[in-house]
Amino acid sequence: MARIVKKFGGTSVGDVTRIKNVAARVAKAVEDGHEVVVVLSAMSGMTNQLVGYCREASVMHDAREYDAVLAAGEQITIGLLSICLQDLGVPARSFLGWQVPVRTNDMHGAARIETIETEALEKCLSEGRVAVVAGFQGIARDNRIATLGRGGSDTSAVAVAAAVKADRCDIYTDVDGVYTTDPRIVPKARKLEKITYEEMLEMASLGAKVLQTRSVALAMNFGVRVQVLSSFEDLPGTLVVSEDEIVEQEVVSGIAYSRGEAKVTVVGLEDRPGQVSHLFAPLADKNINVDMIVQSASEDGNRTDLTFTVPEDDLARAVEVLESNKEEMKFLDLVYRAGVVKVSVVGVGMRSHAGVARKMFDTLAEKSINVQVISTSEIKISVIIDAEYTELAVRALHTAYGLDVTTEA
Ligand code: ADP
Ligand code: ASP
Ligand code: MG
């Protein structure tokens, strides 16, 4: 007998028929003698619809009320799954975040889980019932409902798995595992049998939304065994494991992309100590997340140009902050544009192999794709390019690094 947390994403609970399918899977695990905690997302499209309602109601909405609205989607699916399970003769009950309780900090809209009290869940399991927990939500220190940021039910699942000391955490989704890149844009993407926590963390933070970044960080810190698999087919999925469990390590294990980026160039910034800090402090104060940064060498020793990227949604605010501080920040001009994409190659094998960056630049050059910004870390290289070349770039890189699936003749 094992204790298993099973998380089902939006498409997997997209309508009542699919929820019945989830109930059947859960019932099977219970029949096999396992203790099961289920974590659910809202029906696919629901959270987007709720975001739309908030925006329509007011552009400057209160983040606490936004959370009250957004958390509603998961309430529906946990209730429905509990009904379906009971219908199959499997005792089950639903838990909203506050009923567990899942306690978070006060960062409404992007709250972090601080603790999960396990008493109620343990009681439920000891009574032989399935606990069906609403993902993506908790209760903040201010005693208000908080949501964990988009895609946050993965994080709920891993956090619950760590809290109840589950043997593993199964993440069921609409693809049958983690691929070398998004299988929806690269048909030749290859399913990975295993991926390291570190690589998965990079892939997720660089745009692979199959797992929320925070969920991978939690899994790594708490040693939760995570498996990504299909909720529609019985196929082996992908295990997220530590590095020593991987025997043959590829140099590059995946390609990720992140749309919705914007690029800002600060032209003619005075070249003296403290200038960069003056520039970024007000952006940080406004919670604007600056990502890649490049500063060019100053030609005359007096002025330099600096380029950075921000999420597209933050571009208008970033420009406003910079323009309104232009005098103190001492720059001449601002050039900015949305519609760029970040494409990254990821692999722990990069640490010990040269030539990975060169291959990336050669491949993009062959396709006449202009590289606008570059950043690297030990296990990844990212570039900013025009969004219209996303598919072309990702496919070409996928082929260049030998990741394409090989079809047997
Ligand atoms: P869920 O609603 O189940 O949480 P998501 O839409 O959040 O599902 O995540 C699954 C999606 O992630 C897939 O449909 C796929 O398009 C996308 N994806 C992006 N990169 C990858 C990758 N490397 N491997 C698998 N899926 C990926
Ligand atoms: N329903 C939430 C969202 O769409 C949480 C999730 O699906 O993980 O972001
Ligand atoms: Mg998701």
Side-chain angles (χ1 to χ4, degrees), residues 48-313:
N48 284 346
Q49 192 180 3
L50 298 174
V51 171
Y53 288 153
C54 290
R55 289 199 178 133
E56 200 182 327
S58 165
V59 191
M60 297 301 291
H61 45 250
D62 179 339
R64 292 160 301 187
E65 301 307 346
Y66 166 92
D67 277 353
V69 176
L70 258 69
E74 275 72 11
Q75 178 160 354
I76 299 171
T77 51
I78 56 167
L80 287 172
L81 180 66
S82 302
I83 292 173
C84 293
L85 282 168
Q86 289 169 10
D87 217 39
L88 294 175
V90 178
R93 71 149 283 189
S94 63
F95 287 88
L96 286 164
W98 65 268
Q99 292 172 313
V100 173
V102 174
R103 299 200 181 278
T104 74
N105 66 7
D106 284 344
M107 280 284 292
H108 285 277
R112 287 169 78 104
I113 296 176
E114 290 183 336
T115 51
I116 296 184
E117 289 171 34
T118 54
E119 215 181 304
L121 291 179
E122 288 291 355
K123 180 163 180 289
C124 180
L125 294 175
S126 69
E127 290 164 354
R129 292 199 283 176
V130 172
V132 184
V133 179
F136 182 53
Q137 58 175 268
I139 180 148
R141 289 180 182 182
D142 59 8
N143 214 26
R144 311 278 297 261
I145 291 168
T147 64
L148 310 180
R150 299 306 306 273
S153 48
D154 298 328
T155 301
S156 307
V158 173
V160 166
V164 302
K165 302 192 169 53
D167 297 293
R168 56 172 216 265
C169 180
D170 293 342
I171 307 274
Y172 290 89
T173 183
D174 56 3
V175 284
D176 57 6
V178 178
Y179 280 71
T180 45
T181 191
D182 187 348
R184 298 205 188 281
I185 75 159
V186 181
K188 289 180 187 161
R190 184 155 45 85
K191 187 162 86 181
L192 299 165
E193 193 192 327
K194 290 178 180 170
I195 185 168
T196 65
Y197 288 113
E198 235 179 331
E199 285 169 321
M200 192 61 241
L201 192 62
E202 285 283 1
M203 290 277 281
S205 73
L206 296 168
K209 69 166 182 164
V210 61
L211 287 176
Q212 199 200 31
T213 311
R214 185 95 194 98
S215 73
V216 188
L218 272 183
M220 186 155 118
N221 290 343
F222 290 90
V224 177
R225 279 191 87 75
V226 173
Q227 185 180 192
V228 177
L229 63 179
S230 164
S231 57
F232 303 110
E233 291 162 293
D234 276 314
L235 292 169
T238 300
L239 271 176
V240 188
V241 299
S242 45
E243 224 172 294
D244 51 17
E245 284 184 62
I246 295 203
V247 187
E248 257 183 77
Q249 189 59 58
E250 313 257 0
V251 179
V252 167
S253 52
I255 320 273
Y257 64 94
S258 158
R259 297 188 203 269
E261 306 275 335
K263 187 179 76 161
V264 180
T265 302
V266 183
V267 181
L269 185 68
E270 266 193 14
D271 192 14
R272 58 182 175 77
Q275 264 324 102
V276 180
S277 137
H278 272 128
L279 191 80
F280 288 119
L283 293 172
D285 289 344
K286 293 269 189 249
N287 263 331
I288 297 171
N289 198 0
V290 173
D291 181 17
M292 299 160 86
I293 305 172
V294 278
Q295 183 173 13
S296 58
S298 135
E299 270 174 43
D300 55 3
N302 296 325
R303 288 188 184 273
T304 162
D305 295 345
L306 186 139
T307 299
F308 61 89
T309 62
V310 289
E312 207 167 54
D313 289 346

